[in-house]
Amino acid sequence: MAKKIVNLLILLPLGIVLIVFCVANRQSVTLALNPFRPDDQVLSLNAPLFVLLFVTLILGMLLGAGVTWFSQGKHRKRARNQTQEAVRWQAEADKHRTRAEQIAGQLPSK
């Protein structure tokens, strides 16, 4: 129920604002990637302004996610190492438990 309320209060107005933004910025603009010859057609792109802004937003999010993923690699490596160590300790404990049960089974009963 709370998730539906959050969706209605946050995502619905955000969606409406994005739709209004897209409608208001439909005019075509030229993105020139050659700073020395902006009229060069090879390194320029004509698209609506909202498309260029959304593409920039998506690329920024992907770049940020990639940087975060790489920067957290040391933590993932440490977690893998600790998991492997825990498995080794568990296997050793099971081996000792089995050996203790064997020894206990060999002891004479009184």
Side-chain angles (χ1 to χ4, degrees), residues 90-104:
Q90 184 64 43
E92 188 170 338
D94 290 342
K95 182 177 74 172
H96 288 296
R97 184 179 301 114
T98 305
R99 181 69 180 135
E101 289 172 357
Q102 287 175 352
I103 291 172

Side-chain angles (χ1 to χ4, degrees), residues 15-29 47-51 53-54:
I16 291 171
V17 168
L18 286 176
I19 290 171
V20 170
F21 176 78
C22 291
V23 170
N25 293 293
R26 290 182 309 201
Q27 60 273 23
S28 183
V29 294
L49 179 61
F50 75 91
V51 171
L53 290 175
F54 283 155

